[in-house]
Amino acid sequence: MSRAEVHELFSRLAELDPSPTTELEYQTPFELLVAVVLSAQATDVGVNKATRRLFPVANTPQAILGLGEEGLKRYISTIGLFNAKAKNVVALCRILLEKHGGEVPRTREELEALPGVGRKTANVVLNTVFGEGTIAVDTHIFRVANRTGLAPGKDVREVEDGLMRVVPEEYLLGAHHWLILHGRYVCKARRPDCPRCIIRDLCRYPDKTPPDPRRD
């Protein structure tokens, strides 16, 4: 895409949703960190169902350590890989208390040093909590970036680096959320809803779905 096309793409997404944010439910930086760790290979809907039960009971590192792994598992057992996630969440709670005064750290290095926190999770926290222009490339963003021609890449890091180069600075804070939501609800994996896509004329995807004649 040309620079003008990229700017137009984000201009349209921003007009449609001026204040994008994560669909994970949270009230504090710690709650978001836990929710993002739990969301690996799980849906936001499924995570929200679990955290609606968990957070009223335990939403601080101290409280989750009080539950312990087995106690935590009872609240998150509906989420995939819950055994490993319970172990990681309890371990990261311990580190937050021992090294960070119970607070979520503000740097990538400190975040990625926490159990269960990789680059993608760190990017979500840095963007959503601390307002940094980071982009966490999940399956939705990877798909949208490649299909549209916005930032093609063979792996998530290549796509992330490409997006960081081409996204206009004024759209960088919201880009992560706009692209995820577009991939989740419009540019879907099996059958993208091209007829109602607001950026279809800019998109390079060769196999656009035709309009459904049954629709008005």
Side-chain angles (χ1 to χ4, degrees):
M1 283 189 182
S2 69
R3 181 172 297 182
E5 288 174 321
V6 172
H7 194 281
E8 177 63 19
L9 180 151
F10 283 104
S11 174
R12 293 182 193 177
L13 294 177
E15 184 176 2
L16 184 68
D17 185 3
S19 302
T21 189
T22 179
E23 293 189 316
L24 290 169
E25 297 172 359
Y26 74 100
Q27 297 294 323
T28 66
F30 175 73
E31 287 186 357
L32 179 65
L33 175 62
V34 170
V36 179
V37 170
L38 295 178
S39 72
Q41 300 182 47
T43 66
D44 288 359
V45 171
V47 172
N48 288 338
K49 286 180 180 178
T51 57
R52 284 174 200 153
R53 298 189 301 270
L54 172 64
F55 288 156
V57 175
N59 70 338
T60 65
Q62 297 95 326
I64 286 183
L65 282 181
L67 286 178
E69 279 187 45
E70 293 307 314
L72 179 57
K73 287 177 186 179
R74 290 198 291 270
Y75 291 94
I76 66 171
S77 59
T78 55
I79 300 174
L81 307 176
F82 72 92
N83 285 310
K85 290 175 181 178
K87 182 177 181 180
N88 284 333
V89 169
V90 168
L92 75 81
C93 287
R94 188 170 291 112
I95 293 174
L96 289 181
L97 289 170
E98 292 174 353
K99 295 186 176 181
H100 303 288
E103 300 295 321
V104 176
R106 296 182 65 101
T107 70
R108 176 185 302 284
E109 292 74 21
E110 290 171 316
L111 284 167
E112 290 187 19
L114 298 172
V117 178
R119 184 177 182 86
K120 184 172 72 172
T121 296
N123 279 343
V124 173
V125 174
L126 290 169
N127 177 272
T128 307
V129 173
F130 299 122
E132 294 191 19
T134 56
I135 299 176
V137 179
D138 69 349
T139 56
H140 298 301
I141 292 183
F142 185 81
R143 181 171 64 253
V144 171
N146 275 287
R147 273 185 180 168
T148 61
L150 177 61
K154 297 185 294 294
D155 55 49
V156 293
R157 186 57 190 271
E158 188 174 346
V159 168
E160 180 187 337
D161 292 343
L163 288 170
M164 294 301 292
R165 286 193 299 269
V166 303
V167 175
E169 186 173 353
E170 65 265 38
Y171 296 119
L172 196 53
L173 187 60
H176 163 82
H177 301 295
W178 284 315
L179 295 175
I180 282 180
L181 294 171
H182 190 69
R184 184 172 290 163
Y185 296 112
V186 181
C187 194
K188 294 174 281 192
R190 291 188 179 180
R191 183 176 172 82
D193 197 352
C194 301
R196 72 178 185 93
C197 175
I198 62 171
I199 59 171
R200 59 186 175 275
D201 57 313
L202 305 171
C203 175
R204 301 294 197 267
Y205 187 51
D207 302 316
K208 293 187 177 73
T209 51
D212 188 338
R214 294 171 296 181
R215 290 183 178 178
D216 294 335

